[in-house]
Amino acid sequence: VVKGKPIDEDAFEGIEEALILADAGFETTEILVASLKEKWKRGQIKTTEDIQTSMIEEVEKLLLPIERHIPTDSKKPFVILTIGVNGVGKTTTIAKLANIYRTSKKKVLLGACDTFRAAAVEQLEVWAKRLDMDVIKHTEGSDPAAVAYDATKAAKARGIDVLILDTAGRLHTKVNLMEEMKKIKRVITKEVEGAPHEILLIIDATNGQNTISQVKTFHEALNITGIVVTKLDGTAKGGFILPIAHLLKIPIRYIGVGEKMDDLIPFSARDFSRALFG
Amino acid sequence: KLQERLESTFKKLKGYGKLSETNIKDSLREVRIALLEADVNYKVAKDFLEKVKEKVLGEDVLSSITPGQQFIKIVYNELCELLGKVNKPLDVAGSPPVPVLLLGLQGSGKTTTAGKLALLLRKKGRKPLLVATDVYRPAAIDQLIKLGAQLNVAVFSLKDSKDPLAICREAKAYAMKNGFDTMIVDTAGRLHIDDGMVEEVANQKKFLNPRETLLIIDAMTGQDAVTIATAFNEKVGIDGIILTKLDGDTRGGAAISIRAVTGKPIKFIGVGEKLDALEPFHPERMASRILG
Ligand SMILES: Nc1nc2c(ncn2[C@@H]2O[C@H](COP(=O)(O)OP(=O)(O)OP(=O)(O)O)[C@@H](O)[C@H]2O)c(=O)[nH]1
Ligand SMILES: Nc1nc2c(ncn2[C@@H]2O[C@H](COP(=O)(O)OP(=O)(O)OP(=O)(O)O)[C@@H](O)[C@H]2O)c(=O)[nH]1
Ligand SMILES: [Mg+2]
Ligand SMILES: [Mg+2]
């Protein structure tokens, strides 16, 4: 978008291209570009520079309501159930989140409920060792709900502040795996009333429109309370959070920006909207 | 569905005789929306639709009883053409041990796919060696070792090495000494914009001189597929692609984008977490899936 020039059709195509390339999706892009054209017709924006400014403002306004942090001071143990499709960064995000809680002097316990994937428990154990935290685990192939039960019980017994549970990656289209997740949730609720207090969905910034399908399906099945968008240190922009904000209004808690323990930062509507068009 | 939407746009064109640039606009727009919703890259979709426009204007679509269906058939055929008409199998020709190198972004499914390829080769009567060169991810080597154990396939690893190139060297020597005819080299996930890591895998490739360097990419990948595939192809060089996690409901438009910008064949698709969940790529099935 060339700065300061009077607006023409090409300018709108430029913003349309930017939004689509950012994975905002066709529908949301249409809505945003249409509102921009309205502003232009009403003389509220005059130059191509106005387009960029107006778009950033509009997106920030859209995202501000979902810029909400996890309320971990509300309950003890505060139970976080981490879910998401395969390979998005659940296990790594748990380590990063545990690190944040450890830094604010909270007692954290981890639960290795991925009893399916090869070396999933070992992976979480390596992180736990680095964090100097315990992991509740069972043998490979055991019932993940049983691990969740033991971990929740242990969290109560040990006076833990935050319990974070890792689960196996699962495609939202696999009915039996979604049923397994519902069972894990029920087992936790039976053990601690109101738990899990945070059902945290991890999504990958490199994914496209399928992310919307993931969020909708997981939300319908489990009632998600928070989202983390990972791998924003790549070139993908994660624009799908625009339709998520617009349609589902689920809070974005953090964004993942790397593979190290410190690479998790609180979601900022302002920073995100700027990065989208930057 | 796309077919229904196209039938309705063509209903409006009844009696117009031949298709022209102007009256084809709506139909092309409908296809464009379908492609973008399927994650086909913005620019790739644009170029693709230009090709479709030429083909459609050259044919007498309106004289058909079902012009919408005719139109879709042209789009479908163009997609199949772009995706590669002939399935290209895994190339493991050459003097043993034949190296196959896997690379890709974090979490794309490389380690699991390495196991799947090992099973495929073992079933074909070959003696593959899995090589673990991901020295970064916690328990990555354990993961590959466990997969090898499940398959009864040998895994080469150096637990205390932090040097993927050194692991490759020792693995090759080990393979030659012990009669392995194929080496499937798993690598760490890396960003295409991480120069150090890109250089690392390029050096591994230089040493190994693989018969196949395969880009493992998640079928859910969005618009970024173009940037990713171009970067890896230009900076490292790839011979083929494996598209993973197609057992979900992603439309998989990334396949189109990647084919368009690299011209490299999609050799396999991953359709599950189990080690037998690897299938040869079929362009017609992918084309139908993308069109929804
Ligand atoms: N660049 C980058 N890589 C990440 C980020 N988060 C996770 N990863 C990497 O992504 C890969 C997958 O991470 P995992 O934590 O194993 O993902 P997962 O969702 O637990 O995977 P499954 O349990 O197999 O479903 C690893 O290589 C991580 O280091 C991120 O924010 N940025
Ligand atoms: N449903 C499904 N899951 C898959 C497929 N391929 C791999 N996975 C899963 O995706 C997740 C990531 O797979 P990995 O093999 O660990 O991915 P990776 O590329 O080696 O990850 P990094 O080494 O961290 O870069 C695991 O949960 C796998 O089981 C597939 O075709 N379908
Ligand atoms: Mg995991
Ligand atoms: Mg791996």
Side-chain angles (χ1 to χ4, degrees):
Chain A
V1 181
V2 184
K3 297 216 159 106
K5 282 197 165 179
I7 294 170
D8 59 4
E9 273 302 321
D10 282 350
F12 289 111
E13 189 173 325
I15 214 74
E16 179 197 59
E17 179 170 352
L19 284 167
I20 300 266
L21 286 176
D23 286 313
F26 180 79
E27 223 177 281
T28 302
T29 300
E30 289 273 287
I31 294 169
L32 288 170
V33 173
S35 88
L36 207 64
K37 281 187 172 168
E38 253 324 286
K39 284 191 181 166
W40 175 49
K41 289 198 183 112
R42 287 191 247 124
Q44 290 176 316
I45 53 172
K46 301 212 168 54
T47 69
T48 51
E49 193 166 36
D50 292 341
I51 285 186
Q52 182 113 337
T53 316
S54 172
M55 206 75 279
I56 291 176
E57 279 176 15
E58 190 110 352
V59 170
E60 185 178 346
K61 237 175 66 204
L62 177 64
L63 297 178
L64 224 39
I66 62 168
E67 184 192 291
R68 297 267 184 281
H69 302 292
I70 303 177
T72 39
D73 290 329
S74 55
K75 297 285 183 288
K76 182 170 171 159
F78 189 89
V79 183
I80 301 173
L81 179 64
T82 314
I83 64 183
V85 302
N86 307 74
V88 294
K90 295 177 291 300
T91 307
T92 310
T93 302
I94 288 168
K96 296 173 183 178
L97 199 52
N99 185 38
I100 290 175
Y101 292 134
R102 177 182 62 150
T103 309
S104 45
K105 304 287 187 274
K106 291 197 189 282
K107 274 187 86 186
V108 184
L109 180 66
L110 304 176
C113 305
D114 180 354
T115 56
F116 172 75
R117 208 209 68 213
V121 176
E122 286 83 338
Q123 184 185 3
L124 190 63
E125 282 187 302
V126 171
W127 282 114
K129 192 154 189 232
R130 293 177 187 178
L131 292 159
D132 191 26
M133 280 173 195
D134 284 342
V135 182
I136 302 296
K137 58 176 186 178
H138 287 189
T139 52
E140 194 172 307
S142 51
D143 182 2
V147 186
Y149 175 82
D150 280 354
T152 314
K153 236 178 150 53
K156 285 199 300 189
R158 301 183 196 185
I160 292 291
D161 295 312
V162 185
L163 169 67
I164 314 178
L165 302 169
D166 190 12
T167 63
R170 66 202 63 223
L171 292 183
H172 50 295
T173 47
K174 310 228 160 154
V175 178
N176 60 325
L177 296 182
M178 294 305 283
E179 286 306 309
E180 175 185 87
M181 190 54 85
K182 286 183 195 169
K183 180 180 172 205
I184 293 171
K185 182 184 177 184
R186 279 198 302 274
V187 161
I188 297 165
T189 310
K190 270 189 100 187
E191 202 45 37
V192 172
E193 192 182 340
H197 307 98
E198 173 80 350
I199 298 189
L200 192 63
L201 176 69
I202 314 297
I203 56 182
D204 185 333
T206 352
N207 288 173
Q209 296 311 298
N210 189 252
T211 314
I212 309 297
S213 174
Q214 292 171 31
V215 178
K216 279 188 181 161
T217 310
F218 276 106
H219 192 49
E220 247 171 74
L222 302 157
N223 225 318
I224 305 169
T225 56
I227 288 172
V228 173
V229 185
T230 62
K231 307 180 195 170
L232 275 166
D233 47 319
T235 46
K237 302 259 180 163
F240 46 61
I241 73 162
L242 270 59
I244 288 174
H246 182 232
L247 302 168
L248 297 160
K249 308 195 172 30
I250 300 168
I252 312 273
R253 306 300 197 184
Y254 293 92
I255 63 172
V257 290
E259 302 190 70
K260 302 203 223 59
M261 212 186 278
D262 301 313
D263 295 331
L264 191 70
I265 54 182
F267 172 70
S268 153
R270 186 169 188 277
D271 294 346
F272 190 92
S273 54
R274 266 154 191 73
L276 204 61
F277 298 102
Chain B
K1 280 203 64 215
L2 178 62
Q3 178 139 339
E4 294 158 4
R5 299 211 297 272
L6 282 177
E7 289 299 349
S8 72
T9 57
F10 276 100
K11 265 213 180 83
K12 302 183 213 152
L13 299 176
K14 277 260 161 69
Y16 271 70
K18 282 224 174 261
L19 277 178
S20 72
E21 285 260 358
T22 40
N23 60 27
I24 200 182
K25 232 167 146 226
D26 285 345
S27 322
L28 284 176
R29 186 173 182 275
E30 288 298 335
V31 178
R32 180 169 176 260
I33 294 171
L35 294 177
L36 291 177
E37 287 178 341
D39 287 325
V40 176
N41 180 270
Y42 185 89
K43 296 180 193 123
V44 170
K46 211 172 195 181
D47 296 339
F48 176 76
L49 289 168
E50 278 300 311
K51 277 215 200 85
V52 168
K53 185 164 82 177
E54 282 173 30
K55 277 271 158 71
V56 170
L57 292 177
E59 289 197 25
D60 191 7
V61 168
L62 283 182
S63 67
S64 155
I65 297 174
T66 52
Q69 206 170 88
Q70 243 335 74
F71 191 89
I72 280 209
K73 197 158 187 302
I74 294 170
V75 176
Y76 171 81
N77 286 334
E78 282 306 303
L79 277 179
C80 289
E81 191 85 17
L82 180 49
L83 287 168
K85 306 244 306 269
V86 178
N87 175 262
K88 298 211 150 198
L90 189 69
D91 182 1
V92 284
S95 51
V98 177
V100 172
L101 180 64
L102 307 184
L103 59 93
L105 293 181
Q106 292 88 348
S108 58
K110 296 174 294 300
T111 305
T112 310
T113 304
K116 292 178 180 181
L117 288 171
L119 178 61
L120 180 80
L121 292 171
R122 208 204 64 202
K123 281 189 183 159
K124 288 199 170 156
R126 291 184 72 102
K127 190 179 174 198
L129 175 70
L130 283 164
V131 182
T133 73
D134 182 352
V135 301
Y136 308 100
R137 171 174 154 153
I141 298 176
D142 290 332
Q143 186 184 0
L144 196 64
I145 289 174
K146 285 206 173 178
L147 294 183
Q150 286 176 28
L151 298 170
N152 213 354
V153 167
V155 179
F156 183 87
S157 64
L158 291 178
K159 259 277 151 85
D160 300 316
S161 171
K162 288 290 167 214
D163 184 352
L165 197 57
I167 298 170
C168 286
R169 276 200 200 98
E170 300 228 4
K172 182 170 181 189
Y174 181 86
M176 300 189 89
K177 185 156 176 271
N178 295 283
F180 292 97
D181 54 30
T182 333
M183 284 197 316
I184 302 166
V185 184
D186 183 25
T187 64
R190 71 202 63 227
L191 292 179
H192 48 299
I193 52 170
D194 184 335
D195 294 334
M197 287 298 280
V198 171
E199 189 180 357
E200 173 189 280
V201 75
N203 287 336
Q204 283 178 273
K205 181 182 179 193
K206 206 159 158 216
F207 167 75
L208 291 165
N209 190 16
R211 193 73 189 179
E212 293 263 33
T213 298
L214 301 173
L215 175 65
I216 312 301
I217 188 143
D218 194 322
M220 300 180 258
T221 306
Q223 297 288 311
D224 209 34
V226 163
T227 315
I228 298 163
T230 305
F232 279 122
N233 195 29
E234 287 181 356
K235 297 179 192 179
V236 183
I238 61 177
D239 301 305
I241 294 138
I242 299 182
L243 211 56
T244 63
K245 308 177 202 171
L246 268 167
D247 44 319
D249 61 353
T250 185
R251 299 263 290 277
I256 294 286
S257 307
I258 295 175
R259 267 295 284 176
V261 300
T262 65
K264 296 295 155 74
I266 298 168
K267 299 224 161 178
F268 296 100
I269 58 172
V271 290
E273 294 194 71
K274 301 225 174 76
L275 296 173
D276 57 3
L278 190 72
E279 294 176 359
F281 176 71
H282 289 294
E284 332 81 30
R285 289 184 208 167
M286 197 73 221
S288 312
R289 181 178 185 134
I290 289 170
L291 287 177

